[in-house]
Amino acid sequence: VALLDMVMPDTDGHQLMDLINQNNSDTDVIIITGNASLEFAIGALKRGAYDYVRKPFEFEELLTTVENALKQKRLKRENEIIHENLERSESRYRHLLESSPDIIYALDEAGNFTFISNAAERLLCVDRQQLISKHYSNIIHEDDQEKARCFFNERRTGERSTTGVELRLISPKECGE
């Protein structure tokens, strides 16, 4: 955080603020000024100032403004770290999903695919995007349709929970065609 008086003997505060912004965009600038006009405040904020404090000021007011700037900076950094960790986690999860030999999928309430992994392309010889929004029954063998309906429609928690079921799948076309 930089405290910047706009009136200095050797330089203009606006020029110094521009220099700070160009060379260290991570620095929050708090303007200290005797000029309290609305136009001045808007101009300083447009130039990238975090806030401004009018002279004469109470020490508590300045301290609160600096604490708020530092708190915002800490929160921004924490948010960046969380975002980076989330991106790494999503990348690992995506890699696990896409490299699994099993078909991994998600269905909406109606039983339509909202996601299906790359394994579907290899095992069913179909572009997985063609299955998105299609009903799961489109890839279930006709002799297993009833078993699939029971499995997909039952409650999957508590005593009625099913840990696994084997179903025969059909491919819309033969592989290698």
Side-chain angles (χ1 to χ4, degrees), residues 35-118:
N35 185 349
S37 74
L38 182 60
E39 293 81 23
F40 175 82
I42 291 171
L45 295 173
K46 280 184 178 179
R47 268 191 140 88
Y50 171 78
D51 203 351
Y52 73 99
V53 177
R54 293 185 317 198
K55 292 182 194 175
F57 57 84
E58 295 290 324
F59 179 73
E60 304 305 327
E61 175 188 8
L62 180 61
L63 185 60
T64 299
T65 303
V66 170
E67 285 173 346
N68 288 342
L70 292 173
K71 185 178 187 179
Q72 181 176 325
K73 188 172 286 305
R74 276 191 302 274
L75 290 173
K76 181 179 177 185
R77 183 61 192 140
E78 288 172 9
N79 188 26
E80 288 170 354
I81 290 169
I82 289 169
H83 184 72
E84 289 167 5
N85 289 338
L86 179 60
E87 282 182 349
R88 270 194 301 278
S89 177
E90 285 177 350
S91 176
R92 285 185 207 126
Y93 177 68
R94 192 175 309 110
H95 175 72
L96 287 172
L97 276 174
E98 298 305 341
S99 61
S100 173
D102 298 323
I103 295 176
I104 300 171
Y105 60 89
L107 301 174
D108 64 15
E109 306 81 33
N112 300 316
F113 288 107
T114 58
F115 170 82
I116 191 158
S117 65
N118 284 341

Side-chain angles (χ1 to χ4, degrees), residues 112-140:
N112 300 316
F113 288 107
T114 58
F115 170 82
I116 191 158
S117 65
N118 284 341
E121 293 183 0
R122 185 174 33 80
L123 297 171
L124 301 176
C125 299
V126 64
D127 180 356
R128 67 187 179 137
Q129 292 303 318
Q130 291 177 353
L131 294 174
I132 301 298
S133 77
K134 299 280 194 288
H135 196 265
Y136 69 82
S137 62
N138 287 305
I139 63 168
I140 305 294

